[in-house]
């Protein structure tokens, strides 16, 4: 794993030179959603589950930013490093293994997921939308969805040959996660079959945990969401290596 952290350090050095661009892209979009839906639709919605609409959706924005950050880094970012820049192949010329290169990619996706999730958390906390002290555990929790979305993104990226094919993943996977994950409304309002499908939606679990911690609504079901995300990681963990190994060694 030492090699994986060297790969992560390499990516960090690049990020340190382009952090402002990354910050604007990954932070601006969730804040725009929060502003438009919270101050627009929120005026008409009123209170949901005992809190204002802004307080209801604000924790979801933390989860959304975490998802976007890991997803775009491990799709477009990884694709560029693999096919155009040949960065990953160049790294393999050093004292690292294929597994360490892939692990480094996943760690970088997780790092950005936690980082930008925390940035949004700080912003919404400053706005007074995070009333509970249990919100301090959100950064620690974000490691789980960060890992899930990084793994899924790297797996898909490994299977495609054209960068335009990334649009299918964003449209057919990430958008449904976003639209039906309970960010803007309680999932209980959806048809039963959609509620059941949401159990394989990692963003749904991420939103539920972030919302519970932000609002101080801790319940045993919280651990069910954590357990599902952990199970996804265990089931999918080996797939990125199997899929990317073919691309890196051919």
């Amino acid at each position: 794993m030492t090699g994986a952290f060297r790969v992560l350090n390499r990516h960090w050095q690049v990020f340190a030179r382009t952090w402002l661009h990354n910050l604007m892209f990954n932070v601006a979009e969730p804040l725009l959603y929060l502003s438009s839906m919270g101050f627009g639709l929120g005026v008409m919605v009123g209170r949901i589950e005992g809190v204002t609409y802004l307080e209801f959706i604000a924790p979801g924005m933390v989860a959304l930013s975490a998802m976007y950050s890991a997803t775009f880094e491990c799709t477009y970012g990884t694709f560029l490093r693999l096919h155009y820049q040949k960065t990953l192949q160049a790294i393999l010329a050093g004292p690292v293994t294929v597994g360490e290169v892939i692990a480094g990619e996943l760690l970088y996706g997780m790092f950005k997921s936690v980082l930008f999730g925390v940035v949004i958390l700080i912003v919404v906390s400053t706005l007074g939308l995070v009333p509970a002290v249990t919100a301090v555990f959100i950064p620690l929790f974000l490691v789980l969805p960060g890992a899930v979305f990084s793994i899924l993104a790297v797996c898909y990226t490994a299977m495609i040959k054209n960068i335009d094919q990334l649009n299918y993943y964003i449209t057919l996977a990430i958008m449904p996660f976003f639209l039906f994950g309970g960010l803007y409304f309680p999932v209980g309002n959806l048809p039963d079959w959609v509620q059941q499908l949401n159990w394989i939606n990692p963003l749904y679990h991420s939103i539920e945990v972030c919302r519970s911690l932000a609002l101080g609504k801790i319940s045993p079901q919280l651990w069910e969401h954590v357990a599902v995300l952990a199970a996804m990681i265990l089931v999918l963990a080996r797939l990125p290596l199997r899929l990317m190994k073919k691309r890196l060694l051919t």
Side-chain angles (χ1 to χ4, degrees), residues 26 65 72 85 87 121 126 128 146 164 198 204 209-210 228 243 249:
N26 289 283
S65 180
F72 283 101
Q85 300 169 346
T87 301
L121 178 62
T126 303
D164 292 328
N198 253 330
Y204 162 64
V209 175
C210 286
V228 171
L243 295 172
L249 297 181

Side-chain angles (χ1 to χ4, degrees), residues 66-192:
M67 178 184 74
Y68 276 161
S69 301
T71 297
F72 283 101
E73 186 56 51
C74 292
T75 52
Y76 289 97
T78 297
F79 191 93
L80 290 174
R81 287 189 287 272
L82 176 65
H83 291 277
Y84 292 103
Q85 300 169 346
K86 303 295 182 181
T87 301
L88 303 186
Q89 291 88 334
I91 292 174
L92 279 175
V96 294
T97 65
V98 174
E100 289 172 332
V101 171
I102 304 309
E105 287 291 300
L106 296 175
L107 286 173
Y108 188 47
M110 293 165 60
F111 161 75
K112 293 192 72 174
S113 180
V114 174
L115 175 64
F116 290 114
V118 169
V119 171
I120 296 296
L121 178 62
I122 292 172
V123 173
V124 296
S125 298
T126 303
L127 294 174
L129 301 176
V130 181
V133 295
T134 48
V136 298
F137 295 108
I138 291 178
L140 181 62
F141 162 73
L142 289 178
V143 172
L144 290 179
V148 172
F149 287 114
S150 296
I151 291 170
L152 291 174
V154 169
C155 286
Y156 182 80
T157 302
M159 294 187 292
I160 62 173
K161 297 181 179 180
N162 190 308
I163 195 170
D164 292 328
Q165 292 176 306
L166 291 175
N167 293 330
Y168 291 110
Y169 180 69
I170 302 301
T171 302
L172 300 179
I174 298 303
M175 284 303 294
F177 289 164
F178 164 58
L179 293 174
F180 299 102
L183 176 58
Y184 294 121
F185 50 81
V187 170
N189 294 337
L190 294 170
D192 290 340

Side-chain angles (χ1 to χ4, degrees), residues 199 204-205 208-209 219-231:
W199 281 91
Y204 162 64
H205 300 290
E208 289 296 309
V209 175
S219 67
Q221 191 176 19
L222 192 70
W223 294 106
E224 294 180 15
H225 298 297
V226 172
V228 171
L229 290 172

